[in-house]
Amino acid sequence: MNINWYPGHMAKAKREMIEKVRLVDIVIKIMDARIPMSSNNPEFDKIFDGKANILIINKADLADKNANDTWIDFFKNTNTQATILDSTNNGQVNRVKNWIIDICKKRQQEIKKQKGINKPIRAMVVGIPNVGKSTFINSLSGSQKAKVGNKPGVTRGQQWIRINNFLEMLDTPGLLWPKLDNQTTALHLAFAGCIKKEIVDNEELAVKFIEELKHMYPQMLMKRYNLDKLEGHGYQILEQICLNKGLIKSRGISDINRGADMLIKDFQSGKMGKITLEFPYMIGENK
């Protein structure tokens, strides 16, 4: 399966990012805690070269806690300002909001020292599609100012949103890169719902996901779908999952399409459990 998705609005979004980057003082990059490597657009390093930036590892509530801790340790060791976030947890939202405000106050003081002006800090919030940028901004602002949706491509244009008297954030459309050469990365993006589902073969995607979980989280897969063992290839396991969950068409045939859809949705919603597909030790693999 060859996966690529780079619609016209993304090319436009990239051009607008490049135009607006000179107007911002800091860049806030949002990543998905389940797929930190795949959700890191390599083009951001080029676009925002030299800009102060911070990293939010979002959707931490859906990811493996041990993996979250491992990633935070990794970024600390690379001198990256990073934190994890569950945007549904008010306590965590307040903690991250205060953390960002402290960083922005320091940046404001630096600008005043360099240029002699006391100006509001402008932050650009960037990330791949469906990583939670708009939800993050709404959580910090305390209102539904940014358009949100549980699918990629909801945000199509840029929008300035005031967080407080000295901090404004620019919400931007989710941005992938023109060619997904690494198909492991492409699969992980599709698993997490970062790629428009209509361009992906749902059954083949579910089979690939099962084959990955067989190695990383076999017990979780077996428990969720009442499997006594994980024998055979992914398609055979998907057939058994359909039978166990009563997803059957006429004449007792497994409804593979419904089963595939259920499996991917269970992962994306966290019903399957807390799962992380990428760890720091994997950096450099599958190139």
Side-chain angles (χ1 to χ4, degrees), residues 23-275:
L23 302 177
V24 302
D25 306 295
I26 192 168
V27 174
I28 300 176
K29 184 163 62 174
I30 312 290
M31 293 164 63
D32 188 320
R34 298 166 298 176
I35 51 169
M37 295 187 299
S38 296
S39 59
N40 181 22
N41 186 335
E43 295 203 335
F44 288 155
D45 292 336
K46 302 173 187 175
I47 297 172
F48 306 118
D49 184 36
K51 280 286 178 183
N53 66 87
I54 58 179
L55 176 61
I56 307 294
I57 307 172
N58 197 26
K59 303 191 178 183
D61 53 312
L62 301 176
D64 187 324
K65 184 182 182 305
N66 291 330
N68 291 340
D69 295 340
T70 301
W71 277 109
I72 287 299
D73 289 341
F74 168 80
F75 285 117
K76 282 183 179 177
N77 290 333
T78 59
N79 295 318
T80 303
Q81 294 187 104
T83 190
I84 61 170
L85 173 64
D86 166 9
S87 291
T88 67
N89 184 305
N90 290 333
Q92 282 203 30
V93 169
N94 289 331
R95 173 186 61 80
V96 171
K97 182 177 182 177
N98 291 333
W99 179 70
I100 290 174
I101 287 174
D102 287 343
I103 291 173
C104 289
K105 282 182 178 178
K106 291 176 183 177
R107 182 63 183 143
Q108 190 178 44
Q109 291 168 1
E110 291 172 358
I111 293 172
K112 186 175 182 179
K113 186 176 180 180
Q114 293 169 356
K115 301 181 179 180
I117 56 175
N118 193 19
K119 62 182 289 295
I121 293 297
R122 286 187 156 187
M124 182 184 290
V125 181
V126 302
I128 64 169
N130 206 29
V131 79
K133 298 180 300 302
S134 298
T135 300
F136 163 76
I137 291 175
N138 287 338
S139 297
L140 264 62
S141 69
S143 61
Q144 297 294 311
K145 295 180 179 179
K147 189 176 180 181
V148 299
N150 190 27
K151 60 181 180 179
V154 172
T155 302
R156 291 297 183 96
Q158 297 181 349
Q159 179 185 5
W160 283 105
I161 296 171
R162 180 178 291 274
I163 304 302
N164 57 29
N165 289 333
F166 72 89
L167 176 59
E168 295 178 351
M169 289 185 174
L170 180 61
D171 189 20
T172 63
L175 185 63
L176 291 173
W177 47 109
K179 189 171 176 58
L180 298 172
D181 293 317
N182 184 335
Q183 285 301 293
T184 298
T185 294
L187 282 169
H188 286 184
L189 291 171
F191 294 159
C194 304
I195 290 177
K196 190 175 180 180
K197 64 182 296 185
E198 286 79 7
I199 72 162
V200 180
D201 185 313
N202 205 37
E203 294 179 15
E204 188 172 354
L205 188 69
V207 168
K208 294 286 188 183
F209 185 62
I210 288 170
E211 290 171 350
E212 192 155 340
L213 284 194
K214 278 176 65 177
H215 299 289
M216 299 190 72
Y217 294 92
Q219 295 301 320
M220 203 172 286
L221 185 63
M222 293 170 67
K223 181 179 179 181
R224 175 67 184 173
Y225 302 109
N226 304 316
L227 298 167
D228 295 325
K229 51 190 176 181
L230 294 175
E231 289 186 352
H233 53 69
Y235 193 88
Q236 292 171 317
I237 295 172
L238 180 56
E239 284 186 312
Q240 188 61 52
I241 288 173
C242 291
L243 293 174
N244 289 358
K245 289 296 183 179
L247 303 179
I248 301 170
K249 296 192 288 189
S250 61
R251 293 176 300 197
I253 300 172
S254 298
D255 193 336
I256 296 297
N257 190 53
R258 285 178 63 200
D261 190 58
M262 175 192 67
L263 187 81
I264 298 300
K265 284 182 178 178
D266 281 356
F267 167 63
Q268 293 175 359
S269 66
K271 290 181 180 179
M272 194 179 294
K274 298 182 184 300
I275 294 173

